[in-house]
Amino acid sequence: MDKMKKGDLSKFRKEYKKLSGSEIVISMGTCGIAAGGDRVYKIIEKDLNDNGIKNVIIKKTGCLGLCFCEPNIIVRMEGMPEVLYGNVDEKTAHMIISEHVIKKNIVNNYVIFMPTNDIGKNIFKDQGR
Amino acid sequence: MKKYIIVWEPDSQKGSPVNNALLKILNEKQLAEKMEIIRSPFIGFTSSGAILRVMPDNLIYTGFRVEDLEGIVNATLAGDRVDKFISSYDNKFLPVEEKDPLSRQFKIVLRNVGYLDPESIEEYISRGGYKALEKALFELGRDGVIAEMKASGLRGRGGAGFPTGLKWELTKKEAGEIKYAICNADEGDPGAYMDRAVLEGDPHSVVEGMIIGGFAVGCTQGFVYIRAEYPLAIERLEKALKDAREMGLLGKDILGSGFDFDIELRWGAGAFVCGEETALIASIEGKRGNPRPRPPFPSVSGLWEKPTFINNVETWANVPVIIEKGGKWMGSIGTEKSKGTKVFAVTGKVKNPGLVEVPMGTTIREIVYDICGGIKDNKNFKAVQTGGPSGGVIAEKYLDMPVDYESLQSIGSIMGSGGLIVMDEDDCMVDVNKFYLQFSVDESCGKCMPCRIGGKQILEILEKISKGNGEMTDIDKIYSISNAMQKASLCALGQTTPNPVLSSLRYFEDEYLAHIKDKKCYTGKCKDLVQYTVIPEKCIGCGLCATRCPVKCITGEKRKPYLIDTKACIKCGECYNVCKFDAVKRG
Amino acid sequence: MMMLEKQEVTLEKGLLDFMEKWKDKPGKEIMILHKIQEVYGYVPRKVAMEVSRVMGIPLAKIYGIITFYHLFKLQKPGKNQISVCMGTACYLKGGNDIIQEIEDLIGVAVNTTSEDGHFSLEVVRCVGCCGLAPVMSINGKVYGNVQKSELPKILGEYSGKEANANG
């Protein structure tokens, strides 16, 4: 990439487009990985692949600070509220793809709510930013 | 749009009555298309009764009865609300326009952590990253940046709370061409991990902060002194530096402004004392991390004898926000003398441990009970410890005290890096302090005598007390050794080593006295001072303790009281823990 | 002045490249020791002497640094390195019991290596996963919320590997 000059940053921001409106974000700090985040990542990657789902992006992020319910993952599907799942084990990971992503049903019992004020994005207010 | 009702019910509420009632209403009214009920194990705060959260309206209901649910469902469907049960969480330390009644947390430092891909500079920029750098370079100028930093009232988040803007100004004023900016990422406090979370989750916020700091002070080189124990943080930070360099945000002629600045990583190697700034400098220079007397302060003569300023990760991560939103904005958050937010790593015997970021002035009760769900397994609160091995305990009577630098200091603790360790009734103060002292003794660099010898002496006294050999004069000895260490140690490590013991003596002296006079440790942690016995009246003779005992020292017949052979007992406490009838006595 | 004789060891290429890159940078000593430990698992005496000779850093200075910092080792660690965290949270949540249990299970005391060189056990300061306390790691893989009862299974994963390798 070319080096940026004054003003290039705001141009970049304007032109920046997300690859897809739907994404699955997996918390993968040291603690998330220790709690099994990397296993969950592989399962979700494979399930998306096996089901031929191409419009859902999978990405990793740092630690949300919710250590008690690691591994946690955020699922953003177009037309659905953003959902944070905690204590995601292998079974839940499969269910998140088969239920949430494919059938658009939120998987019960694993939804975590973390209300917060922040100057970035409050994920629970995410109704089309 | 479809409505979602998220339900949280306390563990004590058996059989999920609220959830079931809601499902029933949904079924009867055939609302499956319009509404979904979701059970959640965590909803951000706790209450004695169930909590409902309605999305996307983002309303919170508490204090309702099962009979009221139908009304809430109807109102939700009509896009209305039932005002009577709307929860009124109030957060008094936030400026009005940012106020979100649903939360006690306020994220500045952790603004991106957990939301963006830390390995993507594109995402950071798209969320407004490097906007502050541009503003600093082309609008504010060097003096403007320092003015904003001073206006913000930001104080160092690593421990002592020195005003950051002033530190920058002092370093800027020094003569000399070469100056250095350092990020202290050698997070040594055992029990604090917010710096790791920031570096792993949002490395660019630290990089951007450092470039701005370097620009304001007039440096061309920065160093991040990072714990080698955090390999993932190192990897992500290195990637961030590389990406920033490629985009022209770091290195020569940043954004075409003519300002040059680069950052290098230097690894720590597991020495707590290297959190002290002069020791840290020695370590970056490739030497043993011995501290040296100050003055001269690093702002005058630091790394390779050049003017140097050091801030820790959390402080640096605040910088871009201050520059972008203005120092005045930051100054409107927090208490009179402590501005902004603080990240706490809440761990120990708490139900929902984790990282929380709250405005300065939030109380310990709000942090431990409202955000983190209270004490685990419904045990009793004993104390929280802040500031790690340099800090002190906060007793129950201070639960409602607003937390800031001054208030913590006034009760004998410190803010420190933000570790907040919750202790319950099972934790013994003598035992915990043995742990802290052992830590400080191991970490003492050995250069100055009060720290090297004093710490060891206090530790030996604590060991003696925990073995049941304590005498009343030992308490006086602790005070006099502590006094010497506080006054005569070279650096903060030695000066603060006695803090945990002194503060626990202040609030839990009776516990020390029980160890010394009665030779008892009521928590069972000091194994020499505890005995497990069966209370015959309570024992129903189930024999569970006998099967669980690892040394098979419990004997008896079914349905008759059992007996513990106290000579053979290794005091593991297994019988006490497994007995369902409270028939094993500890004491 | 006594000169150190050239040692018969040949330094690994990665290490030599690293030394070349860092040779003119001030404050290189600690970074080079990290690299040595990454390559060899500890700081072997012969390697330290060779590095001292090549880089012109006095051996005494290298030894001084190694012994000051907890992370550097002078002894070769076992094939599988077990590190039990003893940060405050882990201590409160029973880190001591975990160490005791491991000692009993594999017969290795803290800071020692088993006779067959298969396991070594050490205590480490906070690994920064306090929310998962008690925590331990084996060869860098972190295990959280460790229960005593799980230890045979976890350790079995590692002793199993050797059985396969031998068989």
Side-chain angles (χ1 to χ4, degrees):
Chain A
M1 178 168 293
D2 288 338
K3 302 233 174 199
M4 289 195 163
K5 295 275 184 278
K6 187 186 174 188
D8 287 352
L9 280 164
S10 50
K11 213 164 81 197
F12 179 91
R13 270 180 223 113
K14 242 178 252 152
E15 286 163 8
Y16 181 78
K17 277 198 192 65
K18 281 196 170 173
L19 292 166
S20 163
S22 300
E23 55 186 8
I24 298 179
V25 186
I26 303 176
S27 208
M28 281 175 74
T30 303
C31 45
I33 293 171
D38 52 345
R39 263 199 323 273
V40 169
Y41 188 96
K42 281 190 195 121
I43 289 171
I44 288 181
E45 199 175 31
K46 182 167 182 297
D47 280 12
L48 286 175
N49 241 328
D50 291 353
N51 287 294
I53 302 167
K54 298 244 155 44
N55 60 341
V56 179
I57 306 295
I58 172 167
K59 69 179 198 188
K60 53 184 165 185
T61 184
C63 157
L64 261 175
L66 301 169
C67 312
F68 63 93
C69 63
E70 297 265 24
N72 35 56
I73 78 177
I74 298 169
V75 183
R76 298 187 184 114
M77 294 296 295
E78 264 174 304
M80 287 177 81
E82 184 169 297
V83 178
L84 170 69
Y85 289 106
N87 295 321
V88 179
D89 54 14
E90 293 176 21
K91 197 178 123 228
T92 327
H94 288 302
M95 271 167 72
I96 284 166
I97 302 301
S98 62
E99 290 295 315
H100 191 136
V101 173
I102 296 176
K103 292 190 197 148
K104 308 274 189 271
N105 290 328
I106 292 173
V107 182
N108 236 313
N109 283 334
Y110 295 91
V111 177
I112 302 289
F113 259 75
M114 189 195 57
T116 167
N117 293 292
D118 62 72
I119 59 165
K121 192 156 134 285
N122 182 340
I123 60 171
F124 301 103
K125 284 182 181 165
D126 186 50
Q127 289 296 314
R129 189 167 79 116
Chain B
M1 191 174 189
K2 198 171 178 179
K3 304 277 185 183
Y4 297 87
I5 298 185
I6 292 95
V7 187
W8 177 86
E9 294 180 75
D11 299 340
S12 54
Q13 207 155 317
K14 294 232 163 57
S16 339
V18 173
N19 184 59
N20 292 341
L22 281 169
L23 287 175
K24 204 171 146 227
I25 296 170
L26 236 67
N27 230 342
E28 282 167 4
K29 300 190 171 224
Q30 300 188 333
L31 296 173
E33 291 289 307
K34 291 182 184 152
M35 190 181 273
E36 199 172 327
I37 309 297
I38 302 161
R39 283 175 69 185
S40 169
F42 176 73
I43 203 159
F45 39 77
T46 44
S47 105
S48 53
I51 302 173
L52 298 185
R53 191 157 178 151
V54 178
M55 298 286 292
D57 311 51
N58 213 11
L59 297 172
I60 278 206
Y61 290 104
T62 52
F64 50 83
R65 291 165 306 164
V66 172
E67 302 89 271
D68 303 319
L69 288 170
E70 194 165 343
I72 294 176
V73 169
N74 288 338
T76 304
L77 284 173
D80 204 355
R81 48 199 270 179
V82 184
D83 285 336
K84 198 162 52 156
F85 304 120
I86 293 278
S87 160
S88 57
Y89 278 90
D90 192 24
N91 206 329
K92 52 193 179 290
F93 296 101
L94 292 182
V96 180
E97 69 271 22
E98 298 287 342
K99 204 158 170 172
D100 176 345
L102 305 185
S103 171
R104 299 217 185 273
Q105 289 206 55
F106 188 72
K107 298 201 166 183
I108 292 177
V109 172
L110 301 177
R111 59 193 178 276
N112 292 323
V113 178
Y115 303 133
L116 59 65
D117 181 351
E119 294 179 19
S120 161
I121 190 172
E122 289 86 1
E123 257 192 56
Y124 181 75
I125 295 174
S126 75
R127 280 177 68 112
Y130 291 105
K131 212 184 247 177
L133 174 64
E134 209 168 18
K135 185 175 173 187
L137 291 174
F138 302 109
E139 267 179 57
L140 294 175
R142 295 176 59 189
D143 294 324
V145 170
I146 290 193
E148 291 294 344
M149 290 305 295
K150 284 174 83 175
S152 75
L154 181 72
R155 295 166 65 177
R157 296 289 190 252
F162 191 81
T164 309
L166 184 62
K167 189 186 267 184
W168 291 18
E169 192 178 40
L170 289 172
T171 318
K172 177 171 179 272
K173 275 184 188 157
E174 283 301 315
E177 285 289 292
I178 302 172
K179 292 172 189 174
Y180 295 107
I182 295 178
C183 170
N184 180 358
D186 188 49
E187 184 172 50
D189 173 0
Y193 55 102
M194 59 284 293
D195 292 354
R196 176 180 68 70
V198 172
L199 291 168
E200 284 179 4
D202 190 17
H204 283 286
S205 66
V206 177
V207 174
E208 186 181 359
M210 286 186 74
I211 305 170
I212 295 170
F215 167 71
V217 172
C219 319
T220 54
Q221 183 66 53
F223 290 94
V224 178
Y225 184 73
I226 187 165
R227 277 190 90 184
E229 290 94 328
Y230 290 168
L232 190 63
I234 293 176
E235 189 189 314
R236 292 194 175 154
L237 189 58
E238 264 174 353
K239 170 104 175 44
L241 293 173
K242 184 169 157 275
D243 290 348
R245 253 177 234 127
E246 276 171 15
M247 289 195 130
L249 298 163
L250 187 69
K252 293 262 177 247
D253 192 19
I254 292 173
L255 286 171
S257 66
F259 166 60
D260 303 337
F261 185 74
D262 212 332
I263 298 174
E264 268 186 38
L265 296 195
R266 289 298 154 93
W267 298 11
F272 180 65
V273 71
C274 289
E276 200 280 339
E277 54 183 17
T278 59
L280 187 153
I281 287 171
S283 188
I284 293 185
E285 288 172 348
K287 301 178 195 151
R288 288 164 69 99
N290 285 330
R292 61 157 179 79
R294 298 177 303 179
F297 286 92
S299 61
V300 178
S301 171
L303 190 59
W304 294 298
E305 276 126 45
K306 305 291 183 218
T308 303
F309 67 119
I310 303 172
N311 289 121
N312 87 330
V313 171
E314 195 183 335
T315 316
W316 284 119
N318 267 299
V319 172
V321 180
I322 292 172
I323 298 305
E324 197 191 323
K325 295 216 158 211
K328 231 172 123 190
W329 176 85
M330 178 70 105
S332 67
I333 305 164
T335 63
E336 194 196 334
K337 286 187 175 164
S338 305
K339 300 299 184 190
T341 60
K342 179 76 193 86
V343 184
F344 288 101
V346 187
T347 60
K349 306 289 182 62
V350 66
K351 201 161 166 214
N352 300 323
L355 282 184
V356 304
E357 182 170 357
V358 289
M360 291 278 186
T362 305
T363 67
I364 300 280
R365 187 188 299 280
E366 286 168 320
I367 296 170
V368 173
Y369 285 89
D370 294 344
I371 300 174
C372 294
I375 308 294
K376 213 177 168 185
D377 303 330
N378 290 320
K379 300 239 173 166
N380 288 322
F381 176 93
K382 182 169 209 167
V384 303
Q385 161 102 16
T386 60
S390 309
V393 289
I394 299 171
E396 196 171 1
K397 62 178 167 181
Y398 295 115
L399 269 179
D400 292 309
M401 182 190 76
V403 171
D404 63 13
Y405 289 98
E406 277 73 29
S407 68
L408 284 178
Q409 216 156 40
S410 74
I411 59 167
S413 186
I414 60 164
M415 181 74 80
S417 54
L420 200 157
I421 290 160
V422 181
M423 300 177 207
D424 69 6
E425 54 189 289
D426 289 343
D427 293 313
C428 164
M429 280 299 152
V430 179
D431 183 63
V432 169
N433 280 299
K434 253 168 56 188
F435 168 79
Y436 281 124
L437 254 298
Q438 183 68 58
F439 182 90
S440 297
V441 167
D442 287 349
E443 296 298 336
S444 171
C445 77
K447 180 170 174 170
C448 75
M449 190 274 282
C451 174
R452 185 180 66 233
I453 301 175
K456 178 88 180 139
Q457 289 304 315
I458 298 181
L459 177 62
E460 278 174 9
I461 294 174
L462 290 181
E463 271 167 356
K464 191 176 143 197
I465 293 175
S466 82
K467 285 208 162 69
N469 303 323
E471 299 157 59
M472 283 312 288
T473 50
D474 287 336
I475 304 266
D476 299 330
K477 275 187 204 151
I478 291 179
Y479 280 119
S480 76
I481 298 170
S482 301
N483 188 19
M485 290 180 75
Q486 287 172 329
K487 289 209 169 105
S489 295
L490 181 60
C491 81
L493 174 63
Q495 287 156 16
T496 58
T497 292
N499 283 4
V501 188
L502 292 178
S503 85
S504 65
L505 271 171
R506 191 158 149 192
Y507 302 112
F508 297 95
E509 195 182 15
D510 51 341
E511 230 178 285
Y512 283 85
L513 296 184
H515 281 75
I516 295 171
K517 284 188 179 159
D518 311 339
K519 312 286 176 207
K520 290 278 184 221
C521 174
Y522 293 105
T523 65
K525 290 277 160 159
C526 301
K527 293 216 162 26
D528 292 311
L529 298 183
V530 68
Q531 245 184 21
Y532 291 93
T533 44
V534 174
I535 308 168
E537 300 80 45
K538 283 193 177 171
C539 180
I540 63 149
C542 69
L544 184 60
C545 54
T547 38
R548 288 294 186 84
C549 176
V551 288
K552 302 288 167 224
C553 73
I554 308 180
T555 49
E557 280 175 53
K558 287 270 175 197
R559 278 183 284 282
K560 281 188 186 154
Y562 276 60
L563 192 71
I564 298 174
D565 178 358
T566 48
K567 284 216 182 75
C569 174
I570 56 163
K571 297 167 185 177
C572 66
E574 193 70 18
C575 49
Y576 179 83
N577 290 331
V578 297
C579 183
K580 295 190 179 82
F581 308 94
D582 294 330
V584 179
K585 189 179 148 217
R586 182 170 75 186
Chain C
M1 198 172 85
M2 193 188 85
M3 290 293 286
L4 288 171
E5 273 173 48
K6 191 175 184 325
Q7 294 294 311
E8 66 270 36
V9 326
T10 341
L11 298 180
E12 205 243 10
K13 171 129 193 338
L15 176 60
L16 284 171
D17 292 347
F18 189 87
M19 282 158 59
E20 182 60 30
K21 203 176 108 196
W22 279 80
K23 85 176 177 243
D24 296 324
K25 290 198 188 184
K28 57 187 177 284
E29 293 83 352
I30 291 174
M31 296 305 282
I32 289 171
L33 282 171
H34 274 299
K35 186 72 190 176
I36 295 176
Q37 191 144 305
E38 184 193 312
V39 172
Y40 299 94
Y42 70 117
V43 185
R45 188 179 161 82
K46 281 182 178 170
V47 174
M49 286 166 82
E50 178 67 7
V51 169
S52 155
R53 194 187 62 82
V54 178
M55 305 290 287
I57 309 168
L59 193 61
K61 185 172 181 192
I62 294 180
Y63 185 73
I65 295 169
I66 294 172
T67 51
F68 184 86
Y69 295 98
H70 295 290
L71 230 57
F72 297 126
K73 296 186 182 68
L74 287 164
Q75 248 80 45
K76 191 175 175 170
K79 225 181 270 166
N80 297 297
Q81 202 164 331
I82 308 170
S83 311
V84 182
C85 180
M86 277 295 250
T88 320
C90 292
Y91 180 78
L92 288 179
K93 289 208 169 167
N96 258 333
D97 296 343
I98 301 292
I99 291 172
Q100 186 72 52
E101 190 72 14
I102 295 174
E103 286 182 345
D104 291 350
L105 279 171
I106 58 173
V108 175
V110 173
N111 290 332
T112 61
T113 303
S114 61
E115 273 173 29
D116 57 3
H118 194 63
F119 281 114
S120 57
L121 175 62
E122 62 172 2
V123 170
V124 292
R125 297 288 185 224
C126 200
V127 290
C129 297
C130 314
L132 302 173
V135 174
M136 63 182 250
S137 75
I138 302 182
N139 303 339
K141 182 173 181 303
V142 181
Y143 295 84
N145 290 321
V146 181
Q147 310 282 325
K148 266 202 274 185
S149 54
E150 290 171 358
L151 285 171
K153 191 172 157 262
I154 296 174
L155 295 173
E157 284 172 34
Y158 295 87
S159 39
K161 269 178 204 161
E162 193 194 44
N164 289 340
N166 288 349

